[in-house]
Amino acid sequence: MYLPHQRGQLHDLADDPAAYDRVLADVTEQALARLTPEGNLEHPAATDDIGDTSLGITSLLALAWHRTKDPRLPDAVRRSLAFHLRARVYTEDNPGYPNLTMRKSGLPYARYVLAPGAHPIGDWPSTVWALLQAVNVLDAADGLIDEEQYRELLDVAGGYWHWLTEATVFNPQDAANQAIGCVVGGLMLARHLPSEEGELVRRRAMHVYVSEIRARRIRDRGAPLPPEHGGAYDNNYGPISLSFLAQAHRVSGEDVFAEDGDALARYIDARLAGSGFDIGGPRYSEQHSAFESVLGLRYFSARIGADIGRYAGDSRWGRHAVGADGGVDGHFAFMLVWQIQDTTRWHRTPRTEPACHQLRAGTVTVSFDDRMTPTVIEAGGSVLVAGAVDRQHGFGPVTDGFLLCRPMGAVRVRDQRSGDLAAKLVSKPVVGRDHVLRHVQSLYVTDGTRLWMTVVVERLGGERYLLAGMPYVVAEGDRFRRTGELPPVASAGELRLTHPPAGSSDSFDARHDVTQQQAAFELALDPRGYGNPDQGWSHIRTTTALEAGPAPGVPEDLDVFAVRYGPEATEPLSVTCERSPEGLTVRTEAFTAVLGEPDAHGEPELTLVRRARR
């Protein structure tokens, strides 16, 4: 099976004006064929996320008219706008909506599901989306709609803003993408209001951002991030937040949005593999957005000088939302409008400076978590993720069933380059079941094609091996195929691929056609769509695991584990390890590395020399 939602790097999508004109031409023909006598442009099969969708198509038709002056479009825009104002603006409280702070306010809002009381919890984000569709139509109103419709739409948009910020709890789903979208709506709305009133809305939007969103950021991997559904990052919503930050900066010029977007963009760059693969994150662990992320990834790829557009999005929504039949849906149409209007071009080359939580060169990537333990290793087209032993997750030495990767003290990192080699040395103190403090040094070296991982620790007792990951997917073109087979890996010691016993509900056998997200939801405390399924994944007791035994011929007081990921796995891996006045010298067929004593500040020393290939 293939992963369903990771279908190609987003920066491969053509984004020149001609390409977008073709997209708008297709939307135009679909919309004109769909337009009902009442003016409805909704997808016929749509039932939820519906309150803003007809207006979203209207905004795309308005943009298309300004680019083409197609004479068929003004009437369609006016009729569909009239439909939204007449049939999709609600002013009576939705029965069962739990987040009101002002009952019977009479303020307009949009519904997630049209029937009264049917899943009202989604009304807050639906109203954000309706506000954003509305301000896009207002931006395109000149020469297209009359003064009466403009004024009515402006009043409704203002009502949406007041409902979102005064009549309900702000950001009730704890989803930063929705909250930042609301701020963007306020900033765009302010430009259409009289100066004094507009300034009040602008100030309110900035206050909300600083006090309700920015102040609640959560740190992960050293970066302050806007939280998504209870976690610091979500693979689906995180890049969407980046798009909202891009638009907020575009319309306001406020430095705070650029600074926060830069931080989120660098974080995304660090966690993505070179192929664009990613795993983990609350709620939608392996679901990826597509066109909703393009604006932010493109805008900030240029700002930080990194190819974050390699993000493997869902190309089924490459340009706009679609229904099951592939037909256009107006949901989130504002993102397509903004990315067409934005003239930023993709930055498609990697950053060259070292990043603390990533080692990347060529087709090799190691992404690290907060503990500086790998979460993803990609080499030779194969991707390994953290394995589990006795409910302990990660990569690292295992002794008598205990995984030594959780730090007990400061973790030190040293980056080094030598010719075409890039290396990262991670030193961390760990404590095992015996309460003995041990120092684990993990050296990662890559030439852009292969990755050497060498782990050194004080001699361990009992059965010991290196948990070197769980094979998870293989890159095949633009898709990722699930795998549970032995990846291209060589080891200096005994190498084996183990699988958990059958029949255990809290184990994960990578040979089965199931994704990590599906397994996580099975063990999550909340039903699908709510809560944090990563908590469910934490209950996985054991997984398929790549296990490497100790290397022979090393100092008696040390255990050294060495593996090489990537091509040439059939070639033996030979590692020597010896002490010298300079420190511990590790030699492989490709490099010599000296792991020196800590410097005056306790930081590890690393010397790396490329060895000529025979």
Side-chain angles (χ1 to χ4, degrees), residues 28-359:
T28 294
E29 296 307 319
Q30 287 195 54
L32 292 178
R34 178 186 297 172
L35 185 64
T36 69
E38 295 80 17
N40 189 351
L41 287 170
E42 293 162 0
H43 190 287
T47 56
D48 55 19
D49 261 329
I50 194 172
D52 67 299
T53 61
S54 181
L55 188 60
I57 299 292
T58 302
S59 71
L60 290 173
L61 296 182
L63 177 62
W65 181 79
H66 279 284
R67 293 169 73 91
T68 67
K69 294 300 188 288
D70 185 332
R72 300 174 297 170
L73 295 179
D75 180 64
V77 168
R78 294 163 191 156
R79 286 172 56 196
S80 60
L81 177 55
F83 168 79
H84 179 83
L85 294 172
R86 181 180 67 253
R88 293 294 179 261
V89 177
Y90 295 85
T91 55
E92 293 183 357
D93 295 350
N94 198 350
Y97 185 69
N99 300 314
L100 290 176
T101 58
M102 184 189 302
R103 295 185 63 232
K104 298 181 181 180
S105 68
L107 291 170
Y109 66 95
R111 286 187 177 175
Y112 177 75
V113 176
L114 300 181
H119 202 71
I121 197 70
D123 289 355
W124 200 88
S126 288
T127 304
V128 174
W129 313 150
L131 170 60
L132 295 171
Q133 315 284 26
V135 291
N136 278 341
V137 174
L138 291 171
D139 284 353
D142 188 30
L144 191 55
I145 63 176
D146 60 29
E147 182 69 16
E148 181 179 354
Q149 270 197 322
Y150 176 88
R151 286 295 165 193
E152 186 176 0
L153 180 60
L154 181 59
D155 287 346
V156 167
Y160 285 156
W161 169 254
H162 290 294
W163 187 86
L164 290 164
T165 57
E166 298 170 18
T168 76
V169 173
F170 184 81
N171 190 20
Q173 294 184 19
D174 191 25
N177 75 99
Q178 300 171 7
I180 304 171
C182 180
V183 168
V184 171
L187 294 172
M188 295 182 70
L189 172 67
R191 302 184 303 181
H192 290 274
L193 298 172
S195 58
E196 186 173 337
E197 184 181 357
E199 180 60 18
L200 289 175
V201 171
R202 192 197 69 80
R203 288 182 181 177
R204 173 65 172 158
M206 292 303 301
H207 173 75
V208 164
Y209 180 74
V210 172
S211 63
E212 297 291 336
I213 302 171
R214 196 167 199 261
R216 299 175 186 269
R217 290 182 299 172
I218 299 174
R219 283 195 172 270
D220 185 43
R221 309 184 195 196
L225 305 173
E228 297 292 347
H229 296 285
Y233 183 76
D234 182 294
N235 294 9
N236 185 27
Y237 295 128
I240 296 176
S241 281
L242 192 67
S243 287
F244 282 128
L245 287 169
Q247 182 66 3
H249 187 242
R250 289 182 67 236
V251 300
S252 73
E254 294 285 349
D255 290 341
V256 65
F257 299 119
E259 293 166 3
D260 293 354
D262 288 349
L264 177 53
R266 291 191 181 98
Y267 171 87
I268 291 173
D269 184 35
R271 69 177 294 142
L272 284 184
S275 64
F277 174 82
D278 191 14
I279 193 169
R283 194 172 185 182
Y284 290 127
S285 301
E286 293 176 76
Q287 291 193 29
H288 277 49
S289 50
F291 81 97
E292 312 100 313
S293 304
V294 166
L295 174 65
L297 293 170
R298 193 173 68 196
Y299 191 82
F300 286 101
S301 73
R303 281 190 54 89
I304 70 170
D307 59 335
I308 56 175
R310 69 184 188 276
Y311 180 92
D314 194 332
S315 57
R316 293 170 298 183
W317 283 33
R319 300 298 190 181
H320 48 68
V322 297
D325 61 356
V328 63
D329 188 304
H331 180 55
F332 252 66
F334 47 82
M335 283 295 189
L336 178 57
V337 171
W338 298 341
Q339 63 175 270
I340 292 174
Q341 293 171 337
D342 180 47
T343 58
T344 307
R345 298 278 70 87
W346 287 111
H347 181 98
R348 291 188 171 93
T349 56
R351 283 195 299 168
T352 56
E353 62 270 25
C356 179
H357 293 89
Q358 185 192 74
L359 174 67

Side-chain angles (χ1 to χ4, degrees), residues 2 13 74 89 92 110 163 272 375-376 380 388 406 476 539 596:
Y2 290 92
L13 290 168
V89 177
E92 293 183 357
W163 187 86
L272 284 184
T375 57
V376 171
R406 297 182 62 190
E476 291 186 352
H539 297 309

